[in-house]
Amino acid sequence: MLSDGTLSSRISVNRGIIIILCCTVSLLTVFSNFTGSPDNHVRCPPLLVSLDANGAFVCNASGYYDALTQRPLRLLIFYDKNDVMNLPLCDVKPATLIGRRNVSLEAHSEEDIAADNPKVLRGGRYRPSGCVPRQRLRVAVIVAYRDRQEHLQILLNNLHPFLQRQQLDYTVFLVEQAGNATFNRGKLFNVGFVEANKLREYPCFVFHDVDLLPENDANAYSCPQYPTLLSSAMEKNKYRPIYADYFGGVVSFSSRHFRQVNGFPNLYWGWGGEDDDLSLRVRTRLGKLLQEPADTGQYTMLKHEKDAGNPVNPQRFKLLNAAAKRFETDGLSSLSYSVVKLERKPLYTWILVDIGQPG
Ligand code: BGN
């Protein structure tokens, strides 16, 4: 389906005619997809990957263009059952995986981490260059954050190589709470979900604490059939489950499921309870949540001083008791915030956000 359109001056007339015919057939195929042939009800060809796009790619009358740079896209890969795909699918178990390893607790500078990870694009995005991710999902990794620079550096230094070894198409988003109001983890994750999807549609989300380091790259950052607790075995808890319905730390969600449960609650300011509320939402709305097996869901938790900005929330029991009544009204449906800054840093897309005060 791709042709570079250059004809050598020494090409024979016959070959020239054949090439022109091929080009015409290719163009007609694209055009028929574009306008919607009887067995293809989409307006544009079912484009899922473009090696050229920085952000969302959009189709208009003259073809695809990059929504961020506004530049036309040159190299497109189309795939569904009828389409041409000129890259193989990535392996089920990429040879790049190394399994369990010791995490690095060194806090390298962000510049050094970027230099060590040259394939990570500005904004914290990576996708394998030689193959198409098997799940064909783009994964947004959302980190809720404030004032933990050292932990952030340690996380990024571990996370980028880890995710690249999994051969995912992923982007890391750092959602930072502006100001000094009490920290609100759930609300920051909700903001990350909405803002990431504005830049590009992400079918799969991983919500990630900044102080958790995955130890085993067999723990796939992807979206299986149900929302999944990825951090199921913490070193600080001797790799035993924290409690049966624990759903904090690192969890994955398809976009569809996250919307179905109305996201995280927004009302939990300070430490504790918002993850239990989310777990309840998943169990009541979707009927099931999954846990990464303990032999792959291993994490190291970084130590930190008591965080004055994130005190234990004394309201959490009361909130949890009435959680079932608030699913519809508290969450993505009631989210209000204003973005202070959105910047593509070398290792992540940084979203500084004003999420207001405890009401
Ligand atoms: C639980 C917290 C979780 C937290 C884990 C971490 C509450 C609600 C009261 C029942 N839940 O106790 O939010 O992630 O500890 O160990 O405090």
Side-chain angles (χ1 to χ4, degrees), residues 236 242-243 246 248-249 271-276 316-317 320:
K236 71 158 191 172
I242 297 204
Y243 50 90
Y246 173 69
W271 184 92
E274 80 296 336
D275 48 356
D276 302 305
R316 65 193 193 288
F317 299 101
L320 262 178

Side-chain angles (χ1 to χ4, degrees), residues 70-90:
Q70 301 282 310
R71 280 200 310 259
L73 299 176
R74 281 171 293 124
L75 176 56
L76 305 177
I77 298 170
F78 302 89
Y79 53 83
D80 76 3
K81 59 180 176 358
N82 304 317
D83 278 323
V84 173
M85 187 167 72
N86 55 6
L87 282 182
L89 282 178
C90 299

Side-chain angles (χ1 to χ4, degrees), residues 277-296:
D277 191 311
L278 184 71
S279 157
L280 202 65
R281 287 171 186 232
V282 173
R283 282 175 289 130
T284 51
R285 279 281 171 88
L286 308 173
K288 197 168 177 178
L289 54 77
L290 305 176
Q291 294 189 342
E292 182 68 20
D295 60 346
T296 47

Side-chain angles (χ1 to χ4, degrees), residues 139-212:
V139 184
V141 180
I142 312 286
V143 181
Y145 179 80
R146 186 169 66 186
D147 200 19
R148 293 267 191 99
Q149 181 59 37
E150 195 191 350
H151 285 182
L152 176 63
Q153 288 167 227
I154 299 173
L155 174 69
L156 293 168
N157 190 35
N158 285 279
L159 194 60
H160 275 296
F162 169 91
L163 293 172
Q164 287 169 79
R165 288 198 297 273
Q166 294 191 357
Q167 300 195 333
L168 300 172
D169 178 345
Y170 73 85
T171 305
V172 175
F173 292 87
L174 188 76
V175 187
E176 177 172 356
Q177 182 171 341
N180 297 319
T182 303
F183 194 67
N184 187 329
R185 178 175 179 267
K187 205 166 176 185
L188 292 171
F189 281 142
N190 282 343
V191 170
F193 177 80
V194 172
E195 288 299 313
N197 270 328
K198 275 187 196 166
L199 294 172
R200 207 153 188 265
E201 209 192 309
Y202 289 93
C204 178
F205 277 78
V206 173
F207 299 102
H208 210 296
D209 280 353
V210 71
D211 56 2
L212 285 178

Side-chain angles (χ1 to χ4, degrees), residues 313-328:
N313 177 6
Q315 307 292 327
R316 65 193 193 288
F317 299 101
K318 218 169 108 196
L319 284 164
L320 262 178
N321 277 338
K325 292 189 200 135
R326 282 195 328 272
F327 290 174
E328 305 283 351

Side-chain angles (χ1 to χ4, degrees), residues 12-24:
S12 71
V13 174
N14 280 349
R15 264 184 84 199
I17 288 169
I18 289 167
I19 286 173
I20 287 166
L21 269 174
C22 286
C23 289
T24 312

